[in-house]
Amino acid sequence: MGSGKFVTTINCMDGRVQELTNNYMKKSFQADYVDVITLAGPSEVIALGEKKSLIENLKFRLDISVGSHKSDAISVCGHDDCGGVPNANVEEHKKLIIKACEEVKNWNYGVPIIGLWIGNNFNKVEKIY
């Protein structure tokens, strides 16, 4: 595989958050590339664990990112006004992100897991885990 350092984001599919979180991860971990795994409301999907097929698909993609690309870190991201988590207020959504980070940590990838909240009208990334 070519040279360069990878990190991974488990992010909402919402296009308003991609550039912000990718730049945050590159800067925070001195990475060259970001593997982006997207789905609607990933924090809720992971935290609640009810959608087994989505979880297995997510793990399949993480296996490639961490195993093949040697990703050095994983973030679980969420944002206000999320169509995938429509009934959660900001504090509830942040709790889902934290719970999702704890779950991903239990998957034993052996890399740092962080939780990111995108707020302030999609202008600010806040590390919450």
Side-chain angles (χ1 to χ4, degrees):
M1 168 156 279
S3 63
K5 183 176 176 179
F6 282 83
V7 291
T8 307
T9 64
I10 301 171
N11 211 341
C12 186
M13 60 184 273
D14 190 318
R16 297 174 289 182
V17 300
Q18 304 304 320
E19 189 173 350
L20 285 169
T21 53
N22 289 355
N23 289 340
Y24 182 94
M25 291 296 287
K26 282 181 176 180
K27 184 177 180 182
S28 296
F29 294 95
Q30 294 79 48
D32 301 300
Y33 307 107
V34 180
D35 285 344
V36 181
I37 300 171
T38 66
L39 60 138
S43 57
E44 184 174 77
V45 170
I46 297 167
L48 300 182
E50 296 168 351
K51 298 178 180 175
K52 302 295 184 196
S53 63
L54 287 178
I55 298 289
E56 290 308 311
N57 184 277
L58 195 149
K59 287 180 178 180
F60 171 78
R61 293 184 277 164
L62 276 174
D63 289 347
I64 293 169
S65 184
V66 176
S68 296
H69 296 169
K70 307 299 182 213
S71 178
D72 286 338
I74 299 168
S75 65
V76 178
C77 309
H79 63 93
D80 197 16
D81 189 34
C82 181
V85 190
N87 298 317
N89 65 37
V90 171
E91 291 309 311
E92 291 168 338
H93 198 160
K94 286 181 177 182
K95 287 178 183 176
L96 287 170
I97 294 168
I98 291 166
K99 187 173 180 183
C101 287
E102 291 168 350
E103 181 63 27
V104 172
K105 190 174 183 179
N106 288 335
W107 296 347
N108 296 314
Y109 282 102
V111 299
I113 310 296
I114 65 170
L116 301 178
W117 176 255
I118 299 84
N120 195 29
N121 292 318
F122 302 93
N123 289 317
K124 182 181 177 188
V125 178
E126 174 189 0
K127 183 179 175 187
I128 60 171
Y129 180 90

